[in-house]
Amino acid sequence: MFQKLSRAVETGDLQNIKSLILQAVKNDLPALEILNRGLLPGIEKVGEKFGRDELFIPEVMLCARVLQEGIDVLRPHLQNNSTSAFKGRLVLGTVAGDIHDIGKNLVKMMFIANGFEVFDLGINVAPEKFAAAIEEYHPHFVGLSALLTTTMPQMAATIKYLDARGLRNNKCLIMVGGAPVTAEFAGSIGADLYADNAIEAVEQAKKAVRG
C-alpha cells in the first residue's frame, strides 16, 4: 500500500489518490505511516527527478497537487498527532496585487516534501488574510512571495500590519522571497528570513526549527 501511495504521488495520479488514502485508513494503517512511508517518499522522488531535469514545472505542480489532496484527506486522522506529524507549519501566499504562483508553488512542494505542514492562501493575499491565517493555524513560519517589483512594497505593508497586531514573535517568523526580492530588501522591511530559491527556503526553515 505504501508503494501504491508513493507511486500515485510520483506519477501525478490525481484520480486515485483519495481512494488509496481511504483504503489505507480502512486497513488500519497509522496516519503517520501513511504520510511518512507513502506520500512523502513519492514527492521526494519528484524532487529528485526535477533536480535531474527529468520533470518540468507543470508535472511537478501536478504531483504537488496530488500530494496536497492526499494530505487533505488524511488530515483528520493526523489531528491528534499534529505536533509529531510535521516538522513545522507554514502559511504561504503571494502578496496583494500579485497573481504569480509558480515560485510559491515550488516552495510549497519543497516544504511538504521535507515534512512541513503547509497552508497555501493562494495569490493576491491581503495583509488581513495573512493575519487571519496566523490566528487560525498558529504557524511557525509565514512565507510572503512577490514576483513583481511593483508588489514588493506589499511585503513591507504585510509585515507592518502583522507587527501592529502583535502576530509576529519568536514562534512565528516571516520569510520573504521571489525573483526580484533581495537579501538587502528583506532586511530593510524587517523580514526574519530570506531565501533565494525553494531549496534554500526549506534549509532556512530547518535551521530555525532546530534553533
Side-chain angles (χ1 to χ4, degrees):
M1 177 55 70
F2 295 131
Q3 290 181 348
K4 288 182 179 180
L5 288 165
S6 178
R7 184 64 179 168
V9 174
E10 184 182 355
T11 60
D13 188 359
L14 189 61
Q15 182 176 355
N16 293 311
I17 187 63
K18 182 176 180 178
S19 62
L20 286 171
I21 292 289
L22 293 176
Q23 182 181 344
V25 171
K26 185 177 180 180
N27 290 342
D28 294 325
L29 293 177
L32 282 177
E33 291 196 19
I34 294 173
L35 176 68
N36 293 324
R37 297 177 60 187
L39 298 178
L40 295 185
I43 203 66
E44 288 172 1
K45 291 178 181 177
V46 171
E48 292 170 0
K49 288 183 177 180
F50 180 68
R52 297 194 298 266
D53 294 326
E54 295 176 11
L55 291 177
F56 298 100
I57 288 178
E59 296 167 306
V60 172
M61 292 300 101
L62 174 59
C63 295
R65 183 182 171 191
V66 172
L67 174 63
Q68 190 61 59
E69 177 75 16
I71 289 177
D72 288 344
V73 175
L74 191 60
R75 192 181 305 280
H77 305 279
L78 287 168
Q79 286 180 348
N80 294 332
N81 297 286
S82 58
T83 300
S84 59
F86 300 100
K87 294 177 182 176
R89 185 175 294 154
L90 168 71
V91 163
L92 180 65
T94 303
V95 295
D98 201 321
I99 60 172
H100 296 83
D101 66 356
I102 291 179
K104 172 186 67 65
N105 289 343
L106 284 173
V107 170
K108 174 183 176 179
M109 185 204 75
M110 290 302 301
F111 268 81
I112 292 173
N114 282 272
F116 286 82
E117 186 175 23
V118 180
F119 297 92
D120 185 359
L121 305 183
I123 58 175
N124 192 26
V125 181
E128 294 83 357
K129 190 172 181 180
F130 278 111
I134 291 174
E135 292 177 332
E136 180 177 358
Y137 301 121
H138 305 289
H140 302 88
F141 306 96
V142 175
L144 309 180
S145 175
L147 272 294
L148 300 171
T149 55
T150 54
T151 57
M152 286 169 59
Q154 283 297 322
M155 289 182 160
T158 299
I159 291 175
K160 184 176 180 180
Y161 185 88
L162 298 179
D163 282 343
R165 281 149 185 79
L167 295 175
R168 183 166 60 142
N169 49 53
N170 291 333
K171 294 182 180 180
C172 181
L173 304 179
I174 308 296
M175 175 182 289
V176 300
V181 181
T182 64
E184 291 74 18
F185 176 77
S188 72
I189 63 174
D192 299 300
L193 301 169
Y194 161 77
D196 184 54
N197 55 65
I199 295 175
E200 183 181 339
V202 171
E203 291 305 313
Q204 290 276 0
K206 285 181 177 179
K207 289 178 182 178
V209 168
R210 289 194 296 264

